Coordinates of all heavy atoms in Angstrom, one line a residue:
M21 N 54.5 124.0 -98.3 CA 54.2 123.3 -97.1 C 52.7 123.4 -96.8 O 52.3 122.8 -95.8 CB 55.0 123.8 -95.9 CG 56.5 123.5 -96.1 SD 56.9 121.7 -96.1 CE 56.6 121.1 -94.7
S22 N 51.9 124.2 -97.6 CA 50.5 124.4 -97.3 C 49.7 123.2 -97.7 O 48.6 123.0 -97.3 CB 50.1 125.7 -98.0 OG 50.1 125.6 -99.4
V23 N 50.2 122.4 -98.6 CA 49.5 121.1 -99.1 C 50.0 120.1 -98.3 O 51.2 119.6 -98.4 CB 49.7 121.0 -100.6 CG1 49.0 119.7 -101.0 CG2 49.3 122.2 -101.4
G24 N 49.2 119.4 -97.4 CA 49.7 118.4 -96.5 C 50.2 117.1 -97.2 O 51.0 116.4 -96.7
R25 N 49.8 116.8 -98.5 CA 50.3 115.8 -99.2 C 51.8 115.7 -99.6 O 52.3 114.8 -99.9 CB 49.3 115.4 -100.3 CG 48.1 114.9 -100.1 CD 47.3 114.6 -101.3 NE 46.0 114.1 -100.9 CZ 45.6 112.8 -101.2 NH1 46.4 112.0 -101.8 NH2 44.5 112.5 -100.8
T26 N 52.3 116.9 -99.6 CA 53.7 117.1 -99.9 C 54.7 116.8 -98.8 O 55.8 116.8 -98.8 CB 54.0 118.5 -100.5 OG1 53.7 119.5 -99.4 CG2 53.2 118.7 -101.7
Q27 N 54.1 116.7 -97.6 CA 54.9 116.5 -96.3 C 54.9 115.0 -96.2 O 54.1 114.3 -96.0 CB 54.3 117.1 -95.1 CG 54.1 118.6 -95.2 CD 53.3 119.2 -94.1 OE1 53.0 118.5 -93.2 NE2 52.9 120.4 -94.2
R28 N 56.2 114.5 -96.2 CA 56.4 112.9 -96.4 C 55.9 112.3 -95.1 O 55.5 111.2 -95.1 CB 57.8 112.8 -96.5 CG 58.1 111.2 -96.7 CD 59.2 111.0 -97.8 NE 59.4 109.6 -97.9 CZ 58.8 108.9 -98.7 NH1 57.9 109.4 -99.6 NH2 59.2 107.6 -98.8
L29 N 56.0 113.0 -94.0 CA 55.6 112.2 -92.7 C 54.2 112.3 -92.2 O 53.8 111.8 -91.2 CB 56.6 112.8 -91.5 CG 58.1 112.5 -91.7 CD1 58.8 113.1 -90.6 CD2 58.3 111.0 -91.9
C30 N 53.4 113.0 -93.2 CA 51.9 113.0 -92.7 C 51.1 111.8 -93.3 O 51.6 111.0 -94.1 CB 51.3 114.4 -93.2 SG 50.9 114.3 -94.9
L31 N 50.0 111.7 -92.6 CA 49.2 110.4 -93.0 C 48.5 110.6 -94.3 O 48.1 109.6 -94.9 CB 48.1 110.3 -91.9 CG 48.7 109.9 -90.5 CD1 47.5 109.9 -89.5 CD2 49.5 108.5 -90.5
A32 N 48.4 111.8 -94.9 CA 47.7 112.1 -96.1 C 48.7 112.1 -97.3 O 48.3 112.5 -98.4 CB 46.9 113.3 -96.1
F33 N 49.9 111.5 -97.2 CA 50.8 111.5 -98.3 C 50.1 110.8 -99.5 O 49.5 109.8 -99.3 CB 52.1 110.8 -97.9 CG 53.1 110.8 -98.9 CD1 53.8 112.0 -99.1 CD2 53.6 109.8 -99.7 CE1 54.8 112.2 -100.0 CE2 54.6 109.9 -100.7 CZ 55.2 111.2 -100.8
G34 N 50.4 111.4 -100.7 CA 49.6 110.9 -101.8 C 49.8 109.4 -102.2 O 50.9 109.0 -102.4
K35 N 48.8 108.7 -102.1 CA 48.8 107.2 -102.4 C 48.7 106.8 -103.8 O 49.1 105.8 -104.2 CB 47.9 106.5 -101.3 CG 48.3 106.7 -99.9 CD 47.1 106.2 -99.0 CE 47.6 106.3 -97.6 NZ 47.7 107.7 -97.1
T36 N 47.9 107.7 -104.4 CA 47.7 107.4 -105.9 C 48.1 108.7 -106.6 O 48.0 109.8 -106.1 CB 46.2 107.2 -106.3 OG1 45.4 108.3 -105.9 CG2 45.8 105.9 -105.5
L37 N 48.7 108.6 -107.9 CA 49.0 109.7 -108.6 C 47.9 110.6 -108.9 O 48.1 111.9 -108.9 CB 49.9 109.3 -110.0 CG 50.5 110.3 -110.7 CD1 51.4 111.1 -109.9 CD2 51.0 109.6 -112.0
R38 N 46.7 110.1 -109.2 CA 45.5 110.9 -109.5 C 45.2 111.8 -108.3 O 44.9 112.9 -108.4 CB 44.4 110.0 -110.0 CG 43.2 110.8 -110.3 CD 42.2 109.9 -110.8 NE 40.9 110.6 -111.2 CZ 39.7 110.3 -110.8 NH1 39.6 109.2 -109.9 NH2 38.7 111.0 -111.2
G39 N 45.1 111.1 -107.2 CA 44.9 112.0 -106.0 C 45.9 113.1 -105.6 O 45.5 114.1 -105.1
H40 N 47.1 112.6 -105.8 CA 48.2 113.5 -105.5 C 48.2 114.7 -106.5 O 48.2 115.9 -106.0 CB 49.6 112.9 -105.7 CG 50.7 113.7 -105.4 ND1 51.0 114.0 -103.9 CD2 51.8 114.2 -105.9 CE1 52.0 114.7 -103.8 NE2 52.4 114.9 -105.0
R41 N 47.9 114.4 -107.7 CA 47.8 115.7 -108.7 C 46.6 116.5 -108.3 O 46.7 117.8 -108.4 CB 47.6 115.1 -110.1 CG 48.8 114.6 -110.8 CD 48.5 114.2 -112.1 NE 49.7 113.6 -112.7 CZ 49.7 112.8 -113.8 NH1 48.7 112.4 -114.3 NH2 50.9 112.3 -114.3
A42 N 45.5 115.9 -107.9 CA 44.4 116.7 -107.5 C 44.5 117.6 -106.4 O 44.2 118.8 -106.3 CB 43.1 115.8 -107.3
A43 N 45.1 117.0 -105.4 CA 45.5 117.7 -104.1 C 46.5 118.9 -104.4 O 46.3 120.1 -103.9 CB 46.1 116.9 -103.2
I44 N 47.6 118.6 -105.2 CA 48.4 119.7 -105.5 C 47.8 120.8 -106.4 O 48.1 122.0 -106.1 CB 49.6 119.1 -106.4 CG1 50.4 118.1 -105.4 CG2 50.5 120.2 -106.8 CD1 51.1 118.8 -104.3
G45 N 46.9 120.4 -107.3 CA 46.2 121.5 -108.1 C 45.3 122.3 -107.2 O 45.3 123.5 -107.5
L46 N 44.6 121.6 -106.3 CA 43.7 122.5 -105.5 C 44.4 123.4 -104.5 O 44.1 124.4 -104.3 CB 42.8 121.5 -104.7 CG 41.6 121.0 -105.5 CD1 40.8 120.0 -104.6 CD2 40.6 122.1 -105.9
G47 N 45.7 122.8 -104.0 CA 46.5 123.6 -103.2 C 47.0 124.9 -103.9 O 47.1 126.0 -103.3
I48 N 47.5 124.8 -105.1 CA 48.0 125.9 -105.9 C 46.8 126.8 -106.2 O 47.1 128.0 -106.1 CB 48.7 125.2 -107.2 CG1 50.0 124.6 -106.9 CG2 49.1 126.5 -108.1 CD1 50.6 123.8 -108.0
C49 N 45.8 126.4 -106.7 CA 44.5 127.2 -106.9 C 44.2 128.0 -105.7 O 43.9 129.2 -105.7 CB 43.4 126.5 -107.5 SG 43.7 125.9 -109.2
A50 N 44.1 127.3 -104.5 CA 43.7 128.0 -103.2 C 44.6 129.1 -103.0 O 44.4 130.1 -102.4 CB 43.6 127.0 -102.1
Y51 N 46.0 128.8 -103.1 CA 47.1 129.8 -102.9 C 46.9 131.0 -103.7 O 47.0 132.1 -103.2 CB 48.5 129.1 -103.0 CG 49.6 130.0 -102.7 CD1 50.0 130.1 -101.4 CD2 50.2 130.8 -103.7 CE1 51.2 131.0 -101.1 CE2 51.3 131.6 -103.3 CZ 51.7 131.8 -102.0 OH 52.8 132.5 -101.7
N52 N 46.7 130.8 -104.9 CA 46.5 131.9 -105.9 C 45.2 132.6 -105.9 O 45.1 133.8 -106.2 CB 46.9 131.5 -107.3 CG 48.4 131.2 -107.3 OD1 49.3 132.0 -106.8 ND2 48.8 130.0 -107.9
L53 N 44.1 131.9 -105.7 CA 42.7 132.5 -105.7 C 42.1 132.9 -104.6 O 41.2 133.7 -104.4 CB 41.9 131.6 -106.5 CG 42.2 131.3 -108.0 CD1 41.5 130.2 -108.6 CD2 42.0 132.6 -108.8
V54 N 42.4 132.1 -103.5 CA 41.7 132.2 -102.2 C 42.5 133.0 -101.1 O 41.9 133.9 -100.4 CB 41.3 130.9 -101.6 CG1 40.5 131.0 -100.3 CG2 40.2 130.2 -102.6
K55 N 43.8 132.6 -100.9 CA 44.6 133.2 -99.8 C 44.9 134.6 -100.0 O 45.5 134.9 -101.0 CB 45.9 132.3 -99.6 CG 46.6 132.8 -98.4 CD 47.8 131.8 -98.2 CE 48.7 132.3 -97.1 NZ 49.9 132.1 -97.1
I56 N 44.5 135.5 -98.9 CA 44.9 136.9 -99.2 C 46.3 137.0 -98.5 O 46.5 136.7 -97.3 CB 43.9 137.7 -98.4 CG1 42.6 137.6 -99.2 CG2 44.3 139.2 -98.4 CD1 41.5 138.4 -98.5
H57 N 47.3 137.6 -99.3 CA 48.7 137.7 -98.8 C 48.8 139.0 -98.2 O 48.3 140.2 -98.6 CB 49.6 137.5 -100.0 CG 49.5 136.1 -100.6 ND1 50.3 135.1 -100.3 CD2 48.7 135.6 -101.4 CE1 50.0 134.0 -100.9 NE2 49.1 134.2 -101.6
G58 N 49.6 139.1 -97.0 CA 49.8 140.3 -96.3 C 50.5 141.4 -97.1 O 50.2 142.5 -97.0
A59 N 51.6 141.0 -98.0 CA 52.3 142.0 -98.6 C 51.5 142.6 -99.8 O 51.6 143.8 -100.1 CB 53.6 141.3 -99.2
L60 N 50.6 141.8 -100.3 CA 49.8 142.2 -101.5 C 48.4 142.9 -101.1 O 48.0 143.8 -101.8 CB 49.4 141.1 -102.4 CG 50.7 140.4 -103.1 CD1 50.1 139.2 -103.9 CD2 51.4 141.4 -104.0
G61 N 48.0 142.4 -99.9 CA 46.6 142.9 -99.4 C 45.5 142.3 -100.2 O 44.4 142.6 -99.9
T62 N 45.8 141.4 -101.1 CA 44.8 140.7 -101.9 C 45.4 139.3 -102.4 O 46.5 139.0 -101.8 CB 44.2 141.6 -103.0 OG1 43.1 140.8 -103.6 CG2 45.3 141.8 -104.1
T63 N 44.8 138.6 -103.2 CA 45.3 137.4 -103.8 C 46.2 137.6 -105.0 O 46.0 138.7 -105.5 CB 44.1 136.4 -104.2 OG1 43.4 137.1 -105.3 CG2 43.2 136.1 -103.1
P64 N 47.2 136.8 -105.2 CA 47.9 136.9 -106.4 C 47.2 137.0 -107.6 O 47.6 137.8 -108.6 CB 48.8 135.8 -106.3 CG 49.0 135.4 -104.9 CD 47.6 135.6 -104.3
A65 N 46.1 136.2 -107.8 CA 45.3 136.3 -109.0 C 44.7 137.6 -109.2 O 44.6 138.0 -110.4 CB 44.2 135.2 -108.9
V66 N 44.2 138.3 -108.2 CA 43.7 139.6 -108.3 C 44.7 140.6 -108.7 O 44.5 141.5 -109.6 CB 42.8 140.1 -107.0 CG1 42.4 141.5 -107.2 CG2 41.8 139.1 -106.8
T67 N 45.8 140.5 -108.1 CA 47.0 141.4 -108.4 C 47.4 141.2 -109.9 O 47.8 142.2 -110.7 CB 48.2 141.1 -107.5 OG1 47.8 141.2 -106.2 CG2 49.3 142.0 -107.8
A68 N 47.5 140.0 -110.4 CA 47.8 139.7 -111.8 C 46.6 139.9 -112.8 O 46.7 139.7 -113.9 CB 48.2 138.3 -111.9
R69 N 45.5 140.4 -112.2 CA 44.2 140.6 -113.1 C 43.7 139.4 -113.7 O 43.1 139.4 -114.8 CB 44.5 141.7 -114.0 CG 44.7 143.0 -113.3 CD 44.7 144.2 -114.3 NE 45.1 145.4 -113.6 CZ 45.9 146.3 -114.0 NH1 46.5 146.2 -115.2 NH2 46.1 147.3 -113.4
V70 N 43.9 138.2 -113.1 CA 43.4 136.9 -113.6 C 41.9 136.7 -113.0 O 41.1 136.3 -113.7 CB 44.3 135.7 -113.1 CG1 43.6 134.3 -113.5 CG2 45.6 135.8 -113.8
A71 N 41.7 137.3 -111.8 CA 40.5 137.3 -111.3 C 40.0 138.7 -110.8 O 40.8 139.6 -110.5 CB 40.4 136.3 -110.0
D72 N 38.7 138.9 -110.8 CA 38.3 140.4 -110.4 C 38.0 140.5 -108.9 O 37.9 141.6 -108.5 CB 36.9 140.7 -111.2 CG 35.9 139.7 -110.9 OD1 36.1 138.7 -110.3 OD2 34.8 140.1 -111.4
H73 N 38.0 139.3 -108.1 CA 37.8 139.4 -106.7 C 38.4 138.1 -106.1 O 38.6 137.2 -106.7 CB 36.3 139.5 -106.4 CG 35.5 138.2 -106.7 ND1 35.2 137.9 -108.0 CD2 35.1 137.2 -105.9 CE1 34.6 136.7 -108.0 NE2 34.5 136.3 -106.8
P74 N 38.8 138.3 -104.8 CA 39.2 137.1 -104.0 C 38.1 136.0 -104.0 O 37.0 136.3 -103.6 CB 39.7 137.5 -102.7 CG 39.8 139.0 -102.9 CD 38.9 139.4 -103.9
W75 N 38.5 134.8 -104.4 CA 37.4 133.7 -104.4 C 37.2 133.3 -103.0 O 38.2 133.3 -102.1 CB 37.9 132.6 -105.2 CG 37.8 132.8 -106.7 CD1 37.9 133.9 -107.5 CD2 37.8 131.8 -107.7 NE1 37.7 133.8 -108.7 CE2 37.7 132.4 -109.0 CE3 37.7 130.5 -107.6 CZ2 37.6 131.7 -110.1 CZ3 37.7 129.8 -108.9 CH2 37.6 130.4 -110.1
T76 N 36.0 132.7 -102.7 CA 35.8 132.0 -101.4 C 36.2 130.5 -101.7 O 36.3 130.1 -102.9 CB 34.3 132.0 -101.0 OG1 33.5 131.4 -102.0 CG2 34.0 133.5 -100.9
L77 N 36.3 129.8 -100.7 CA 36.6 128.3 -100.7 C 35.5 127.6 -101.4 O 35.7 126.7 -102.3 CB 36.9 127.8 -99.4 CG 37.7 126.4 -99.4 CD1 39.0 126.5 -100.2 CD2 38.0 126.0 -98.0
A78 N 34.2 128.0 -101.2 CA 33.1 127.4 -101.8 C 33.1 127.6 -103.4 O 32.8 126.7 -104.1 CB 31.9 128.1 -101.3
E79 N 33.5 128.8 -103.8 CA 33.7 129.0 -105.3 C 34.7 128.2 -105.9 O 34.5 127.7 -107.0 CB 34.0 130.6 -105.5 CG 32.8 131.5 -105.3 CD 33.3 132.9 -105.4 OE1 34.4 133.3 -104.9 OE2 32.7 133.6 -106.3
L80 N 35.8 128.0 -105.2 CA 36.9 127.2 -105.7 C 36.5 125.8 -105.8 O 36.6 125.1 -106.9 CB 38.1 127.2 -104.7 CG 39.3 126.4 -105.1 CD1 39.9 126.9 -106.5 CD2 40.4 126.5 -104.1
V81 N 35.8 125.2 -104.9 CA 35.4 123.8 -104.9 C 34.3 123.6 -106.0 O 34.3 122.7 -106.7 CB 34.8 123.4 -103.5 CG1 34.2 122.0 -103.6 CG2 35.9 123.3 -102.5
T82 N 33.4 124.6 -106.1 CA 32.3 124.5 -107.2 C 32.9 124.6 -108.5 O 32.7 123.8 -109.4 CB 31.4 125.7 -107.0 OG1 30.8 125.7 -105.8 CG2 30.3 125.7 -108.1
A83 N 33.9 125.4 -108.7 CA 34.6 125.4 -110.0 C 35.4 124.2 -110.3 O 35.5 123.8 -111.4 CB 35.5 126.7 -110.2
A84 N 36.0 123.7 -109.3 CA 36.9 122.5 -109.4 C 36.0 121.3 -109.8 O 36.4 120.5 -110.6 CB 37.7 122.1 -108.2
L85 N 34.8 121.1 -109.1 CA 33.9 120.0 -109.4 C 33.2 120.1 -110.9 O 32.8 119.1 -111.4 CB 32.9 119.9 -108.3 CG 33.4 119.5 -107.0 CD1 32.3 119.5 -105.9 CD2 34.1 118.0 -107.0
A86 N 33.2 121.5 -111.3 CA 32.5 121.5 -112.5 C 33.4 121.1 -113.8 O 32.9 120.7 -114.8 CB 32.1 123.1 -112.8
E87 N 34.6 121.1 -113.5 CA 35.6 120.6 -114.6 C 35.7 119.2 -114.7 O 35.5 118.5 -113.7 CB 37.0 121.3 -114.2 CG 37.3 122.7 -114.5 CD 37.1 123.0 -116.0 OE1 37.7 122.2 -116.8 OE2 36.6 124.0 -116.2
G88 N 35.6 118.7 -115.9 CA 35.9 117.2 -116.1 C 37.3 116.7 -116.0 O 38.3 117.6 -115.8
D89 N 37.4 115.5 -116.1 CA 38.9 115.0 -116.0 C 39.7 115.5 -117.3 O 39.2 115.4 -118.4 CB 39.0 113.4 -116.0 CG 38.5 113.0 -114.7 OD1 38.5 113.7 -113.7 OD2 38.1 111.7 -114.6
A90 N 40.9 115.9 -117.0 CA 41.8 116.4 -118.1 C 42.7 115.2 -118.6 O 42.9 114.3 -117.7 CB 42.5 117.5 -117.6
A91 N 43.1 115.2 -119.8 CA 44.0 114.2 -120.3 C 45.3 114.5 -119.6 O 45.8 115.5 -119.3 CB 44.2 114.4 -121.7
P92 N 46.1 113.3 -119.3 CA 47.4 113.4 -118.7 C 48.3 114.1 -119.6 O 48.2 114.1 -120.9 CB 47.8 112.0 -118.5 CG 47.0 111.2 -119.4 CD 45.7 111.9 -119.6
P93 N 49.3 114.9 -119.1 CA 50.2 115.6 -120.0 C 51.1 114.6 -120.7 O 51.4 113.5 -120.3 CB 51.1 116.3 -118.8 CG 50.9 115.7 -117.6 CD 49.6 115.0 -117.6
E94 N 51.4 115.1 -121.9 CA 52.3 114.2 -122.8 C 53.7 114.4 -122.3 O 54.2 115.5 -122.2 CB 52.2 114.7 -124.3 CG 50.8 114.3 -124.8 CD 50.5 112.8 -124.9 OE1 51.6 112.1 -125.3 OE2 49.4 112.4 -124.8
P95 N 54.5 113.3 -122.1 CA 55.9 113.5 -121.8 C 56.7 114.0 -122.9 O 56.5 113.8 -124.1 CB 56.3 112.0 -121.5 CG 55.3 111.1 -121.9 CD 54.0 111.9 -122.2
Q96 N 57.5 115.0 -122.6 CA 58.3 115.8 -123.5 C 59.8 115.5 -123.1 O 60.1 115.5 -122.0 CB 58.0 117.3 -123.4 CG 56.6 117.7 -123.6 CD 56.3 117.5 -125.2 OE1 57.1 117.6 -126.0 NE2 55.1 117.1 -125.4
P97 N 60.6 115.2 -124.1 CA 62.0 115.0 -123.9 C 62.6 116.3 -123.4 O 62.4 117.4 -123.8 CB 62.6 114.4 -125.2 CG 61.7 114.9 -126.2 CD 60.3 115.0 -125.5
L98 N 63.6 116.1 -122.5 CA 64.3 117.3 -121.9 C 65.3 117.8 -123.0 O 66.1 116.9 -123.6 CB 65.1 117.1 -120.7 CG 64.0 116.8 -119.5 CD1 64.8 116.5 -118.3 CD2 63.2 118.0 -119.1
K99 N 65.4 119.0 -123.3 CA 66.4 119.5 -124.2 C 67.4 120.4 -123.5 O 66.9 121.4 -122.8 CB 65.7 120.3 -125.3 CG 64.9 119.4 -126.1 CD 64.1 120.2 -127.2 CE 63.1 119.3 -127.9 NZ 62.3 120.1 -128.8
L100 N 68.6 120.2 -123.6 CA 69.7 121.0 -122.9 C 69.9 122.2 -123.9 O 70.1 122.2 -125.1 CB 71.0 120.3 -122.9 CG 72.1 121.0 -122.3 CD1 71.7 121.3 -120.9 CD2 73.4 120.3 -122.3
Q101 N 69.8 123.4 -123.2 CA 69.9 124.6 -124.0 C 71.3 125.0 -123.9 O 71.9 125.3 -122.8 CB 69.1 125.8 -123.6 CG 67.5 125.4 -123.7 CD 66.8 126.6 -123.1 OE1 67.2 127.5 -122.5 NE2 65.5 126.5 -123.4
V102 N 72.1 125.0 -125.1 CA 73.6 125.4 -125.0 C 73.7 126.8 -125.6 O 73.0 127.2 -126.6 CB 74.3 124.4 -126.1 CG1 75.7 124.9 -126.1 CG2 74.1 123.0 -125.6
R103 N 74.4 127.6 -124.8 CA 74.6 129.1 -125.2 C 75.3 129.1 -126.4 O 76.2 128.3 -126.7 CB 75.3 129.7 -124.1 CG 74.5 130.0 -122.8 CD 75.2 130.7 -121.7 NE 76.6 130.3 -121.6 CZ 77.0 129.8 -120.5 NH1 76.2 129.6 -119.4 NH2 78.2 129.3 -120.3
P104 N 75.1 130.1 -127.3 CA 75.9 130.3 -128.5 C 77.3 130.4 -128.2 O 77.7 131.3 -127.3 CB 75.3 131.5 -129.2 CG 73.9 131.6 -128.6 CD 74.0 131.0 -127.2
G105 N 78.2 129.7 -128.9 CA 79.6 129.9 -128.6 C 80.2 129.0 -127.5 O 81.3 128.9 -127.3
A106 N 79.2 128.2 -126.7 CA 79.7 127.4 -125.6 C 80.1 126.0 -126.2 O 79.5 125.6 -127.2 CB 78.6 127.2 -124.5
E107 N 80.9 125.5 -125.5 CA 81.4 124.1 -126.0 C 80.4 123.1 -125.6 O 79.7 123.1 -124.7 CB 82.9 123.7 -125.4 CG 82.7 123.6 -123.9 CD 84.1 123.2 -123.4 OE1 84.8 124.1 -123.1 OE2 84.4 122.1 -123.1
E108 N 80.3 122.0 -126.4 CA 79.4 120.9 -126.3 C 80.0 120.0 -125.2 O 81.1 119.6 -125.4 CB 79.1 120.2 -127.6 CG 78.1 119.1 -127.4 CD 76.7 119.5 -127.2 OE1 76.4 120.7 -127.6 OE2 75.9 118.7 -126.6
R109 N 79.3 119.7 -124.2 CA 79.8 118.8 -123.1 C 79.5 117.4 -123.4 O 78.5 117.1 -124.1 CB 79.2 119.3 -121.8 CG 79.4 120.7 -121.3 CD 80.9 120.8 -120.8 NE 81.1 122.2 -120.5 CZ 81.3 122.7 -119.3 NH1 81.0 121.9 -118.2 NH2 81.6 123.9 -119.1
P110 N 80.3 116.4 -122.9 CA 80.0 115.0 -123.1 C 78.7 114.6 -122.5 O 78.2 115.1 -121.4 CB 81.2 114.3 -122.5 CG 81.8 115.3 -121.5 CD 81.4 116.6 -122.1
A111 N 78.1 113.6 -123.0 CA 76.8 113.1 -122.5 C 76.8 111.6 -122.7 O 77.5 111.0 -123.5 CB 75.6 113.6 -123.3
R112 N 76.1 110.8 -121.8 CA 75.9 109.4 -121.9 C 74.5 109.0 -121.7 O 73.8 109.7 -120.9 CB 76.9 108.7 -121.0 CG 76.5 108.8 -119.5 CD 77.4 108.0 -118.8 NE 77.1 108.2 -117.3 CZ 76.3 107.4 -116.5 NH1 75.6 106.5 -117.1 NH2 76.1 107.7 -115.2
E113 N 74.1 108.0 -122.3 CA 72.7 107.5 -122.3 C 72.3 106.9 -120.9 O 73.2 106.2 -120.4 CB 72.3 106.6 -123.4 CG 70.9 106.3 -123.5 CD 70.5 105.5 -124.7 OE1 71.4 105.3 -125.6 OE2 69.3 105.2 -124.9
L114 N 71.3 107.3 -120.3 CA 70.8 106.7 -119.1 C 70.3 105.2 -119.3 O 69.8 104.9 -120.4 CB 69.8 107.6 -118.3 CG 70.2 109.0 -118.0 CD1 69.0 109.7 -117.5 CD2 71.3 108.8 -116.8
P115 N 70.4 104.4 -118.3 CA 69.9 103.0 -118.5 C 68.5 103.0 -118.8 O 67.7 103.8 -118.2 CB 70.2 102.3 -117.1 CG 70.8 103.4 -116.2 CD 70.9 104.6 -117.0
G116 N 68.0 102.1 -119.6 CA 66.6 101.9 -120.0 C 66.1 103.0 -120.9 O 65.0 103.1 -121.3
G117 N 67.1 103.6 -121.6 CA 66.7 104.6 -122.7 C 65.8 105.8 -122.2 O 65.0 106.3 -122.9
R118 N 66.1 106.3 -120.9 CA 65.4 107.3 -120.3 C 65.9 108.7 -120.6 O 65.5 109.5 -119.9 CB 65.2 107.1 -118.9 CG 64.5 105.8 -118.6 CD 64.4 105.6 -117.1 NE 63.8 104.3 -116.8 CZ 63.5 103.8 -115.6 NH1 64.0 104.4 -114.6 NH2 63.0 102.7 -115.5
G119 N 66.8 108.8 -121.5 CA 67.4 110.1 -121.8 C 68.9 110.2 -121.7 O 69.5 109.1 -121.7
F120 N 69.4 111.3 -121.5 CA 70.9 111.4 -121.4 C 71.3 112.2 -120.2 O 70.6 113.0 -119.8 CB 71.4 112.2 -122.7 CG 71.2 111.3 -124.0 CD1 70.1 111.3 -124.7 CD2 72.4 110.6 -124.3 CE1 70.0 110.5 -125.9 CE2 72.3 109.9 -125.5 CZ 71.1 109.8 -126.3
L121 N 72.5 111.8 -119.7 CA 73.1 112.6 -118.6 C 74.2 113.4 -119.1 O 75.1 113.0 -119.9 CB 73.6 111.6 -117.6 CG 74.4 112.2 -116.5 CD1 73.4 113.0 -115.5 CD2 75.0 111.0 -115.5
R122 N 74.1 114.7 -118.9 CA 75.2 115.7 -119.5 C 75.9 116.3 -118.3 O 75.5 116.6 -117.2 CB 74.5 116.8 -120.3 CG 74.0 116.3 -121.6 CD 73.7 117.5 -122.4 NE 73.0 117.3 -123.6 CZ 73.6 116.9 -124.7 NH1 75.0 116.9 -124.7 NH2 73.0 116.6 -125.8
L123 N 77.2 116.4 -118.6 CA 78.0 117.2 -117.6 C 77.8 118.6 -117.8 O 77.8 119.2 -119.0 CB 79.5 116.9 -117.8 CG 80.0 115.4 -117.6 CD1 81.4 115.2 -117.9 CD2 79.6 115.0 -116.1
V124 N 77.5 119.4 -116.7 CA 77.2 120.8 -116.8 C 78.3 121.5 -116.3 O 78.9 121.3 -115.4 CB 75.8 121.1 -116.1 CG1 75.5 122.6 -116.2 CG2 74.8 120.3 -116.6

């Protein structure tokens, strides 16, 4: 709920996929690099030793603007992991060749 674009009734709801991805990415980075959490006393990134100090918002924006556009992620087919010895459940193909629906 900290990223306004994820709230459906707000005016800033993601109108383009590129803008929505950028807003979500910045929100996640700010949560992990900038926001000091009460239970930890520092940021999650410092606790995980990803960063050596809590970032300021200016550092985050500078780092975000320094990065170029990344290639979109490649779609990967979902694979159902079946436990060894478990029975195979029936499946049917979804309309439009978009994968399979399995009973779990």
Side-chain angles (χ1 to χ4, degrees):
M21 296 303 289
S22 62
V23 179
R25 286 181 180 246
T26 60
Q27 300 171 8
R28 184 141 180 92
L29 298 178
C30 82
L31 296 174
F33 187 72
K35 294 170 180 63
T36 64
L37 186 57
R38 181 176 182 232
H40 188 71
R41 283 181 180 158
I44 296 296
L46 280 175
I48 290 171
C49 286
Y51 182 85
N52 288 313
L53 294 169
V54 177
K55 184 179 182 208
I56 296 177
H57 296 263
L60 299 174
T62 186
T63 65
V66 173
T67 303
R69 296 187 180 140
V70 174
D72 57 350
H73 67 283
W75 287 22
T76 64
L77 201 53
E79 287 177 305
L80 178 65
V81 171
T82 303
L85 292 176
E87 286 292 320
D89 285 344
E94 293 292 324
Q96 300 291 326
L98 295 175
K99 296 177 183 172
L100 181 66
Q101 295 179 354
V102 180
R103 291 186 307 249
E107 65 180 83
E108 183 69 27
R109 302 283 173 108
R112 68 177 177 90
E113 190 170 355
L114 293 174
R118 297 183 183 174
F120 289 87
L121 176 66
R122 286 192 190 273
L123 297 175
V124 181

